[in-house]
Amino acid sequence: MPKLYQAMGLALLVAVTQTSCSSAKLATAQADAPKTENTEKAKPASKGGLKSYEEVITRNAVSDQGVFTVHKVGDKYYYEIPDSLLQRDFLWISRFANLPSGLGGGYVNAGSSVNEQMVEWQKLGDKLLLKTKSYNAYAADSLPISLSVKANNYQPTLYAFDIAALSKDSSGYVIDVTKFFQSDIKAFSGLDSDMRKEYKVSKLDDSRSFIHSVKSFPLNIEVKQDFTYDAAEPPSHSATGAISLMMNQSMVLLPEVPMQPRINDHRVGYFNINQIDYGSEALKADEKSYIRRWRLVPKDIEAYKRGELVEPVKPIVYYLDPATPEKLRPYIKAGVEQWNEAFESAGFKNAIIAKDPPSPEEDPDFSPEDARYSIIRYVASTTRNAMGPSVSDPRSGEIIESDIIWYHNHLRSYRNRYLLETGAANPSARTLDTPLDDLGEMMKEVITHEVGHALGLPHNMKASAAYPTDSLRSAEFTQKNGIAATIMDYARYNYVAQPGDKGVRFVRQLGPYDHYVINWGYRYLPDAKSPEQEVPTLSKWIEENTGNPVYQFGSGSGGYDPESQTEGIGDDVVKASTYGLANLKRVAPNLYAWTAAQTNDYDDLEELYGELLGVWSRYIGHVVTNVGGVREDRLKPSQQGYVYTPVSSKKQAESLNWLLQNAFSSPEWLNQTEISRNIHHANQVENVRNLQVRHLNNLLSADRMARLMENEVKGVNYNALDMVRDLQHGIWSEVYNGQKVDIYRRNLQKAYLDRVNYLLNEEPARGRSSRYGTPVDLSQSDIRSVLRGELVKLQSQLKRSQSRYANDLTRYHVDDAIVRIDNILNPKKS
């Protein structure tokens, strides 16, 4: 057994170190325990109907010792389970080991987790049961109510195994697991119900399915299953009518004594696990939430107490995938170890380490699939993404293993965004051949972001609003503070910086919130003997920073908080989007010269032009959120202020006016002849229509209008009527001014009528709840009254303007609009 594995195993098993057990990972043929052959003669069957050990585990058995001893006898596999490990907690992780291209739409890859569940082995008569186990409902065993908790939360039996024999010394049980691992059991399957429906899977083909390998380690067992399903519409190789995939089933022994959990606080951003505690003294079951984090314990607690930086007993270690290109390795390692800056704020030095994969000579057993290693996986896939998943102990939130996944094509997305968002002010971005150092810096920060997820940190979309927008044009400010208060925001590039802003930072970096949140979650509190004893200190740290935007958290969910949006930067979305749009208008005329003129090919030009439209759309979307917007501040009653504060009437009106000028006007700046006449034959107008209609419908959504109606009772003098009047007058301005209506505006005006018709006549009248959870009963809301009243006024204006138009297209458009409105106001009953 390799020395590293022995050392890690010993460290994990010694309770006083409080270090975590490693999670199981996909195991290939590595790190095997010594194989032994049983050469003893078979003995007669034992009493009670069981066979003797020697009859089952014959002299031809190949045995692999580990947490359970695994025996292979011919084509059969047996587990020998010690009695001491019955009713111990195991974590069972089902992952893809190999899979066909296109499965799951391209966002599923080798190593992706399909399911995680806690299990335990129980003996019942002459059977061993594999049962799932949950900590969602909990009460201490010492409390009488624990009996009721168990009785009312009975867990499913996943499989029942006949006991084939007792172990040699009668201290364990031998079971045949062959049929179990050759069966299509839903709890462990890689194909969920949606995939089975999409690919029209009928059944598992037993003749083409088998156990590939079974490996046992001191803390885990790894099983690979090679499955082939009959499928009428497989994601690839359609002529075969089949889906073949390899699943890896990992079973990990969890620590006998769980790590002391840390109670979650919604004012700070951590992934969490939840439990219902029926032992609470409150008049109801108490929902407890614990953060997900690695177990870090200082080697020298007394030095740590004195404020010295101390190394942890067991640092977090990531190994690079052997498939990682050599030129990218320094940037990936730097991205991992950048977190040491934040861990020093929590009192730890060298808390997280990145290592190159050992050579075969250094460690012949090394594999990215081995449970001993957390890996930065480099995936050969055209998917443009990166991910930072982790596996945690469901009892305590302890993260026990993590794989960071980097998809090969992801840097292309970053290059494109770099060119589009910073090219106006950043000469090095004006090329398809981005300098390696620039690409490396981008990759480093993406890796830091994904490692942040693996440390337990979700996105913090509110951090991008912590800095004054104009400060992002300052070299001194951005070089020191970055462009957002955390690396965990989607603030990728500084699109605010303008030409002439010298020395500004364009790429995101670690920020002050990252130091704050790591200290909050990972600071070791040696005097706190329970999670509850930590709470006063943790709350004090939060409340010391009340009102400081740098230390605020917002998930970005809900879609109503303009300070908590993906891809936004700066505290004023109108100003930031104005700067960003000004830069796009500088980039668009140069896009041909920076791409097709250099490559003598239009593919990159077409790709980047499509993404330019997407960037413009994001800038628009940021401003839309101001209208009917509500700022959310995560506060407790002990803190001053309100949790929800509507955006001021002035800011809402200003935002609507900005949208009329920059989103709903005719975007002539997009009509670049060298682009439009070389990448498509007739899509220019339709592309713009799609984009504008998306944001128009977003403005005229039931949930946004419901929030605007509520402004009447919240003291904000900008309501749904104000918004609809401003929007309608702006979109139909030509009718009020007697001007010709161009093709972009004709499309937009028709879309406006379609949306109003939808809200007046097609939206369900009752029981309607928007996607964001704002309850809206349109039949009893003022929304329909407002829309109907303003639509009548618009029809009257259109009728008055009919005779003004000599232009046939405009006149026909106005005539058509009058008829459409009449049909909306007087719908025909079917």
Side-chain angles (χ1 to χ4, degrees):
M1 184 182 301
K3 291 181 180 179
L4 175 59
Y5 195 67
Q6 291 174 330
M8 292 183 68
L10 179 60
L12 289 164
L13 291 172
V14 176
V16 294
T17 65
Q18 298 186 336
T19 54
S20 67
C21 68
S22 295
S23 163
K25 298 171 66 179
L26 308 172
T28 52
Q30 82 283 349
D32 295 351
K35 308 297 180 185
T36 61
E37 291 212 1
N38 190 321
T39 58
E40 295 184 18
K41 294 181 179 180
K43 295 181 180 178
S46 63
K47 296 180 180 180
L50 300 180
K51 291 184 178 181
S52 70
Y53 182 84
E54 290 78 6
E55 282 184 290
V56 178
I57 309 303
T58 68
R59 68 184 63 188
N60 296 319
V62 178
S63 301
D64 184 7
Q65 295 179 349
V67 61
F68 298 167
T69 300
V70 173
H71 306 280
K72 186 175 188 296
V73 183
D75 293 331
K76 291 184 177 294
Y77 289 90
Y78 295 89
Y79 280 4
E80 185 173 341
I81 304 176
D83 186 76
S84 60
L85 292 180
L86 296 183
Q87 296 185 302
R88 279 288 301 274
D89 293 336
F90 288 84
L91 190 63
W92 193 296
I93 308 143
S94 302
R95 302 180 190 260
F96 290 109
N98 294 293
L99 70 166
S101 62
L103 189 76
Y107 281 90
V108 179
N109 61 271
S112 293
S113 175
V114 174
N115 190 21
E116 296 175 16
Q117 54 195 318
M118 199 159 71
V119 301
E120 69 175 9
W121 296 86
Q122 297 180 2
K123 183 176 183 296
L124 182 65
D126 60 354
K127 292 183 181 294
L128 285 190
L129 308 181
L130 178 62
K131 295 184 71 70
T132 188
K133 187 175 181 179
S134 173
Y135 268 77
N136 290 340
Y138 170 80
D141 290 339
S142 60
L143 298 175
I145 198 172
S146 66
L147 299 174
S148 179
V149 171
K150 292 175 183 176
N152 289 282
N153 293 275
Y154 192 62
Q155 303 299 335
T157 298
L158 299 172
Y159 207 84
F161 299 85
D162 293 326
I163 297 174
L166 299 177
S167 57
K168 279 185 178 182
D169 59 3
S170 299
S171 64
Y173 309 93
V174 178
I175 58 172
D176 185 346
V177 297
T178 311
K179 182 179 178 182
F180 170 69
F181 283 116
Q182 287 182 338
S183 300
D184 183 22
I185 299 173
K186 289 185 178 179
F188 308 105
S189 174
L191 297 181
D192 59 26
S193 57
D194 289 339
M195 287 186 184
R196 291 171 190 257
K197 182 178 180 180
E198 179 181 358
Y199 304 132
K200 296 185 178 179
V201 174
S202 56
K203 66 180 180 67
L204 179 71
D205 186 343
D206 294 336
S207 67
R208 292 183 286 173
S209 301
F210 51 89
I211 299 172
H212 187 274
S213 64
V214 183
K215 309 287 183 182
S216 188
F217 301 95
L219 294 174
N220 56 284
I221 295 179
E222 307 294 314
V223 179
K224 283 190 177 179
Q225 307 158 292
D226 204 321
F227 280 172
T228 295
Y229 296 86
D230 290 333
E233 297 182 7
S236 58
H237 304 289
S238 57
T240 65
I243 296 175
S244 289
L245 53 86
M246 186 178 288
M247 290 298 299
N248 193 98
Q249 307 293 345
S250 301
M251 188 187 72
V252 193
L253 178 63
L254 294 173
E256 192 164 10
V257 178
M259 177 188 75
Q260 178 172 297
R262 179 156 292 180
I263 294 174
N264 182 50
D265 192 309
H266 78 293
R267 297 172 293 177
V268 179
Y270 270 91
F271 294 124
N272 54 76
I273 62 168
N274 297 307
Q275 298 176 1
I276 304 296
D277 185 359
Y278 287 92
S280 169
E281 293 296 327
L283 297 180
K284 64 179 181 64
D286 188 15
E287 183 172 347
K288 289 187 175 178
S289 179
Y290 300 126
I291 69 171
R292 296 177 58 182
R293 58 177 182 152
W294 296 79
R295 190 189 302 215
L296 290 186
V297 179
K299 285 182 179 178
D300 186 338
I301 292 178
E302 293 306 314
Y304 189 86
K305 286 182 178 181
R306 293 193 298 267
E308 300 175 24
L309 290 179
V310 177
E311 290 186 343
V313 173
K314 182 176 183 291
I316 303 164
V317 179
Y318 280 98
Y319 286 87
L320 272 61
D321 191 326
T324 306
E326 290 283 349
K327 69 178 182 179
L328 298 178
R329 292 186 180 190
Y331 304 108
I332 295 174
K333 292 167 73 175
V336 174
E337 295 184 348
Q338 187 173 200
W339 278 106
N340 277 320
E341 301 172 24
F343 276 111
E344 288 184 3
S345 296
F348 291 102
K349 67 178 179 180
N350 301 323
I352 186 166
I353 301 168
K355 295 184 177 181
D356 286 319
S359 67
E361 293 75 25
E362 293 170 327
D363 185 354
D365 296 322
F366 177 84
S367 168
E369 322 305 332
D370 195 306
R372 295 171 287 176
Y373 310 112
S374 286
I375 304 293
I376 310 289
R377 300 181 65 90
Y378 196 94
V379 178
S381 168
T382 57
T383 300
R384 296 187 187 182
N385 199 12
M387 296 190 298
S390 62
V391 174
S392 62
D393 186 336
R395 305 167 303 174
S396 65
E398 178 185 359
I399 297 173
I400 53 182
E401 177 270 335
S402 160
D403 279 350
I404 308 301
I405 301 170
W406 178 277
Y407 296 89
H408 178 70
N409 279 18
H410 196 35
L411 272 179
R412 186 177 183 89
S413 293
Y414 276 82
R415 179 208 64 183
N416 289 359
R417 293 276 299 274
Y418 191 55
L419 184 153
L420 294 169
E421 295 184 33
T422 78
N426 179 14
S428 70
R430 301 167 188 168
T431 176
L432 295 175
D433 298 319
T434 311
L436 178 60
D437 283 347
D438 287 17
L439 287 173
E441 179 64 16
M442 298 174 212
M443 188 175 202
K444 168 190 165 186
E445 302 304 338
V446 178
I447 291 293
T448 301
H449 177 96
E450 300 305 338
V451 171
H453 286 318
L455 295 175
L457 306 180
H459 292 130
N460 179 6
M461 300 305 184
K462 206 171 185 71
S464 53
Y467 296 158
T469 301
D470 280 324
S471 68
L472 302 177
R473 299 185 62 185
S474 163
E476 181 181 1
F477 183 91
T478 56
Q479 294 297 344
K480 178 182 178 181
N481 301 289
I483 60 177
T486 176
I487 194 74
M488 300 313 298
D489 201 328
Y490 272 173
R492 305 172 202 269
Y493 293 115
N494 185 354
Y495 58 78
V496 163
Q498 299 294 290
D501 295 342
K502 302 296 184 182
V504 296
R505 182 172 178 84
F506 290 103
V507 181
R508 60 183 171 176
Q509 66 181 29
L510 215 65
Y513 174 86
D514 301 309
H515 290 258
Y516 163 76
V517 75
I518 289 296
N519 178 70
W520 191 92
Y522 282 90
R523 168 72 62 172
Y524 187 72
L525 300 176
D527 296 328
K529 305 305 178 185
S530 70
E532 289 73 19
Q533 290 183 12
E534 293 184 338
V535 170
T537 298
L538 298 173
S539 293
K540 178 175 177 288
W541 292 343
I542 296 171
E543 290 168 14
E544 286 174 345
N545 293 292
T546 299
N548 189 335
V550 167
Y551 303 112
Q552 305 309 302
F553 171 70
S555 66
S557 62
Y560 53 79
D561 185 353
E563 292 184 353
S564 190
Q565 303 194 71
T566 63
E567 314 288 353
I569 56 174
D571 64 350
D572 185 332
V573 295
V574 173
K575 183 180 286 188
S577 291
T578 300
Y579 281 134
L581 183 54
N583 281 336
L584 277 189
K585 290 180 177 179
R586 297 181 181 108
V587 168
N590 290 290
L591 205 55
Y592 180 89
W594 295 347
T595 59
Q598 304 300 317
T599 64
N600 197 32
D601 190 284
Y602 291 120
D603 289 347
D604 290 298
L605 176 63
E606 182 175 5
E607 180 180 315
L608 278 158
Y609 184 74
E611 292 191 27
L612 183 145
L613 292 175
V615 173
W616 178 42
S617 180
R618 279 194 293 274
Y619 297 160
I620 293 170
H622 292 160
V623 179
V624 168
T625 309
N626 262 347
V627 182
V630 180
R631 190 182 77 243
E632 179 183 19
D633 294 300
R634 299 191 174 205
L635 302 171
K636 287 194 174 182
S638 59
Q639 297 170 280
Q640 292 184 345
Y642 297 107
V643 174
Y644 298 107
T645 304
V647 173
S648 71
S649 56
K650 179 181 179 181
K651 180 63 70 174
Q652 293 192 56
E654 176 191 350
S655 299
L656 199 284
N657 185 58
W658 188 95
L659 291 167
L660 291 172
Q661 294 180 32
N662 297 284
F664 300 134
S665 61
S666 299
E668 297 298 337
W669 63 275
L670 280 174
N671 191 20
Q672 303 294 325
T673 303
E674 287 182 317
I675 299 175
S676 61
R677 293 192 177 184
N678 286 314
I679 65 172
H680 50 64
H681 67 285
N683 284 345
Q684 176 72 15
V685 173
E686 182 63 12
N687 285 337
V688 172
R689 187 200 67 80
N690 274 328
L691 188 150
Q692 291 182 326
V693 169
R694 182 188 316 146
H695 293 293
L696 175 65
N697 291 348
N698 193 359
L699 267 177
L700 290 173
S701 61
D703 68 295
R704 187 178 311 281
M705 295 185 73
R707 294 197 298 274
L708 283 162
M709 295 305 303
E710 285 211 11
N711 282 346
E712 182 179 333
V713 297
K714 291 182 177 178
V716 179
N717 297 319
Y718 194 81
N719 59 31
L721 177 57
D722 298 318
M723 189 273 283
V724 171
R725 280 180 172 168
D726 289 347
L727 181 64
Q728 182 170 288
H729 194 279
I731 286 180
W732 294 87
S733 61
E734 296 90 343
V735 174
Y736 293 97
N737 300 328
Q739 298 172 334
K740 175 184 173 182
V741 188
D742 69 27
I743 187 169
Y744 297 110
R745 299 280 288 178
R746 294 196 299 271
N747 286 345
L748 183 64
Q749 290 168 5
K750 288 182 175 70
Y752 177 85
L753 296 179
D754 282 351
R755 184 62 181 177
V756 172
N757 179 55
Y758 173 73
L759 289 169
L760 286 176
N761 300 317
E762 298 180 29
E763 186 81 353
R766 296 182 183 276
R768 175 66 179 172
S769 179
S770 82
R771 59 179 289 202
Y772 296 128
T774 304
V776 183
D777 187 338
L778 287 173
S779 68
Q780 297 178 17
S781 166
D782 284 337
I783 293 172
R784 285 184 169 173
S785 305
V786 166
L787 291 171
R788 193 180 306 277
E790 291 302 305
L791 194 61
V792 169
K793 291 168 64 176
L794 175 62
Q795 188 180 48
S796 297
Q797 182 65 36
L798 286 165
K799 289 178 178 178
R800 286 196 296 271
S801 68
Q802 272 180 297
S803 60
R804 299 180 189 173
Y805 293 111
N807 178 272
D808 286 345
L809 275 175
T810 298
R811 187 176 70 253
Y812 292 162
H813 170 67
V814 169
D815 292 346
D816 178 66
I818 293 170
V819 174
R820 286 177 183 241
I821 294 174
D822 192 57
N823 290 334
I824 295 170
L825 295 173
N826 304 284
K828 296 178 181 178
K829 296 182 179 179
S830 57

